[in-house]
Amino acid sequence: KVGLPDINMNNPHNMWTNRQQTLIFQTEWFDDKLTVFNRQTGALVRQQEVGPAPAHVMTRTDTDQVHVSLNAANSVVELTPNAKLIERDILVGDFGTDTHPHAHWMSADGKMMVTPNVDTENSTLYDFTTDQIADREPVGHFPIATGMMPDSSKYYVANFLDSTLSVINIVAGTPPSLTPN
C-alpha cells in the first residue's frame, strides 16, 4: 500500500504504468488529479492537475504519452511521457456537449483510442494519425468501459444499465451489434 497518510487521494479509481514500469499513474476520480508514484518504493513523484473527475489512465505504446479520461467533461487529456506536462485536451464529442468519457482503451500500436461516452450513449474512435475523430457509434445504455483486440480489428463497449456488450468492427466499419452478456 502506498499513499496514506502522507497522500490523501480522493477516490483512487484506475491505475496504469509507464513503458519501463518504473512509475504508477493513479487517477483521483472525485478530484482533478493524476497521482504518480515510484513503482518500486511507493514514493510520491508528483500530483498533476488534469481536469474534472479523471477516471481512467493509459499510455500509448508508440510514444508513452499518458492519456486520462475526464469523466466530468468532454475530453481525454494527453500528457507528456511520465505525466510531467499536459499537452492537450482531445475532444471525444461535439464541442459544448459533455460526453463524460470513462474507461477508454488505446490500440496496441498506439494509433487509435476508443472511449465509452456515458452521457451521449455512444463511443468515439479517435485516430492519432490524423488527429481527429474517425468514427462515433451509438451503443447501449450507460457505456462504461472499452477493450480492443490486439490487431485493432474491433473493439468492445460494456453497457452498464442494459447489460449488453457493443461490438464495433473497425476494419470493415460496420455498425455495432448489441449482444446480451
Side-chain angles (χ1 to χ4, degrees), residues 17 48 55 83 156 173:
T17 186
Q48 174 71 45
Y156 305 89

Side-chain angles (χ1 to χ4, degrees), residues 139-161:
V139 294
H141 297 297
F142 207 88
I144 196 77
T146 55
M148 189 181 295
M149 294 294 291
D151 65 358
S152 302
S153 60
K154 59 184 160 187
Y155 71 97
Y156 305 89
V157 181
N159 304 302
F160 184 67
L161 292 182

